[in-house]
Amino acid sequence: MKKSQTPPHPAHHPIHQTHQTPPKMSKNHIFSSSSLPILLSLVAIFFIYTTTTFIFIHGWLNLFSSPGLINAAAFTVIATMCVWNYVVAVRTDPGRVPGSFVPDVEDGGNPVHEIKRKGGDLRYCQKCSHYKPPRAHHCRACKRCVLRMDHHCIWINNCVGHANYKVFFIFVLYATIACIYSLVLFLGSIINDFLKNDQESEESSRTLHVNIFFWFQPSTLYYFLTLGANMRFGTGTYESFAQVIFAVLVIPLTIALAVLFGWHVYLMLGNKTTIEYYEGVRALWLAEKGGDVYLHPYDLGPFENLTAVLGPNIISWSNRLHIRGGNDKLSVYAVAVRISRMLLLLIVETEVYSCDCCFLQRSAGILLM
């Protein structure tokens, strides 16, 4: 039977005098054997973006018109922020426990010292051979302790912890907005196609007659599988197939992301992690059983809890990411603004080109007369 390692007393724990910077994520982190969820996520984002932009927006509003370009610009900005925050969440180390960390039990300025449930000793990781700071937990997938660990997310192949929690939350925010926006454009495109099909039904016997309740019929998938070659929702069979895949993928994805976003908003308002929530449920039950009142030790109030995670500046909550230490910041908002400016210039050029074409057509008509 393997004996557990006895933790040294904090007073005799060796403290390293040199400063140790947390190691960066390895370049093989994304391309490891467990990176398949990351590749699937990137493929899904690419599919949703291309389908929304080149099928739904173009089929409904015409991509080269003013409404089409405005919606394409807005959706591109949201998608850019979503992808950027996703990549940063994947590449950012969630937070390592410093090798020189020793809990100072005599520090009066730090009244919170987490202890074991049994015995009341300070928490010590037997696998990492060091004491655990408050809110730190050992991740079996990462095989190390993570500061303020929330959970291990397989879709980013990384832990969500102290250093990348804000980036992960912003990614979920923009992913939810992008999915809802894409669903609205999808429904608008479907309704527009229904109206076009009704007008063309008398001219072509191969066009399938559908109404607004077609998507709610159990035989919808059967129609697509057996009569896909004769069906025309957009401009061809590819659009019909893309619409089915989009509906099957994005509708449940939107619901899942909305629930996940609401869950983390609830956690941030109470300054809790997912692990601390489930630990708090047990602590609350034990407190009520003993006639006591349980209060979360890290709860500072709703607004203070939000600023503790997202930062003191409200404007930078959703558009500025701290991906390095110090004052080195990278603004996703600035990148998105540049993209939107380029698309707006394209709108102006398209309008000028349309006006020139109309002028030439009118001039040609006058000459022919």
Side-chain angles (χ1 to χ4, degrees):
M1 184 175 180
K2 186 178 179 180
K3 296 182 180 180
S4 60
Q5 183 179 359
T6 304
H9 191 273
H12 303 286
H13 192 281
I15 301 178
H16 302 283
Q17 300 297 331
T18 59
H19 176 69
Q20 295 182 349
T21 58
K24 297 181 179 179
M25 302 296 290
S26 173
K27 292 183 179 180
N28 297 327
H29 175 69
I30 296 181
F31 304 100
S32 61
S33 59
S34 57
S35 61
L36 180 61
I38 296 179
L39 298 178
L40 292 177
S41 300
L42 294 176
V43 170
I45 293 174
F46 177 78
F47 172 77
I48 294 172
Y49 176 78
T50 54
T51 305
T52 303
T53 304
F54 300 106
I55 295 181
F56 303 152
I57 296 180
H58 182 64
W60 180 22
L61 303 172
N62 188 357
L63 187 59
F64 299 100
S65 65
S66 296
L69 282 175
I70 290 174
N71 281 274
F75 190 73
T76 300
V77 169
I78 297 173
T80 301
M81 293 206 173
C82 178
V83 172
W84 182 261
N85 283 277
Y86 179 78
V87 173
V88 175
V90 171
R91 296 292 297 167
T92 302
D93 192 295
R96 294 177 179 268
V97 178
S100 59
F101 171 77
V102 179
D104 189 358
V105 295
E106 298 180 356
D107 184 9
N110 184 19
V112 179
H113 293 286
E114 295 183 354
I115 59 177
K116 295 181 179 180
R117 295 173 182 168
K118 297 181 180 179
D121 298 329
L122 293 174
R123 298 192 310 144
Y124 186 84
C125 183
Q126 301 290 346
K127 297 180 180 180
C128 297
S129 299
H130 59 64
Y131 285 96
K132 293 182 181 179
R135 316 187 78 174
H137 297 274
H138 186 87
C139 177
R140 296 180 180 178
C142 297
K143 298 180 180 180
R144 63 184 177 90
C145 290
V146 177
L147 295 175
R148 198 185 181 276
M149 178 180 174
D150 186 88
H151 69 285
H152 183 88
C153 180
I154 61 171
W155 298 108
I156 65 174
N157 192 23
N158 197 7
C159 269
V160 179
H162 171 73
N164 64 347
Y165 183 83
K166 175 184 176 180
V167 180
F168 175 80
F169 176 77
I170 295 176
F171 159 69
V172 174
L173 169 64
Y174 283 116
T176 305
I177 296 175
C179 286
I180 295 175
Y181 193 3
S182 184
L183 277 179
V184 172
L185 295 172
F186 168 70
L187 293 177
S189 176
I190 290 296
I191 295 174
N192 184 60
D193 290 339
F194 286 162
L195 297 178
K196 288 183 179 180
N197 286 334
D198 290 338
Q199 294 176 357
E200 297 175 357
S201 59
E202 298 178 357
E203 301 176 1
S204 176
S205 59
R206 292 178 299 175
T207 302
L208 181 64
H209 295 274
V210 293
N211 52 37
I212 196 65
F213 300 103
F214 175 73
W215 285 93
F216 301 98
Q217 297 179 3
S219 58
T220 300
L221 184 59
Y222 172 78
Y223 282 138
F224 278 114
L225 294 177
T226 58
L227 303 177
N230 297 325
M231 187 175 303
R232 200 152 56 107
F233 280 106
T235 58
T237 307
Y238 172 76
E239 286 79 1
S240 302
F241 180 75
Q243 287 173 345
V244 176
I245 299 300
F246 180 88
V248 173
L249 172 66
V250 176
I251 292 178
L253 180 62
T254 304
I255 298 174
L257 286 173
V259 172
L260 182 63
F261 174 74
W263 168 250
H264 281 282
V265 170
Y266 166 75
L267 291 178
M268 281 198 301
L269 290 175
N271 200 359
K272 300 177 182 178
T273 64
T274 302
I275 298 176
E276 291 171 354
Y277 169 80
Y278 290 105
E279 290 179 346
V281 171
R282 175 178 173 82
L284 179 62
W285 177 76
L286 292 175
E288 291 179 351
K289 185 178 180 180
D292 299 327
V293 178
Y294 172 76
L295 296 176
H296 185 58
Y298 303 105
D299 188 5
L300 305 175
F303 182 76
E304 288 76 9
N305 294 335
L306 289 177
T307 57
V309 176
L310 301 178
N313 189 1
I314 300 179
I315 300 177
S316 67
W317 281 5
S318 61
N319 58 35
R320 189 173 290 272
L321 305 179
H322 298 263
I323 62 173
R324 299 183 178 92
N327 296 324
D328 190 5
K329 301 175 183 178
L330 182 60
S331 177
V332 180
Y333 178 74
V335 178
V337 167
R338 291 181 182 179
I339 295 176
S340 61
R341 286 178 179 175
M342 294 172 59
L343 292 174
L344 289 176
L345 289 176
L346 183 60
I347 293 175
V348 175
E349 293 177 358
T350 304
E351 292 296 333
V352 172
Y353 176 77
S354 300
C355 294
D356 291 341
C357 291
C358 294
F359 175 76
L360 291 175
Q361 290 177 356
R362 288 195 298 267
S363 300
I366 293 174
L367 290 176
L368 291 175
M369 292 175 63

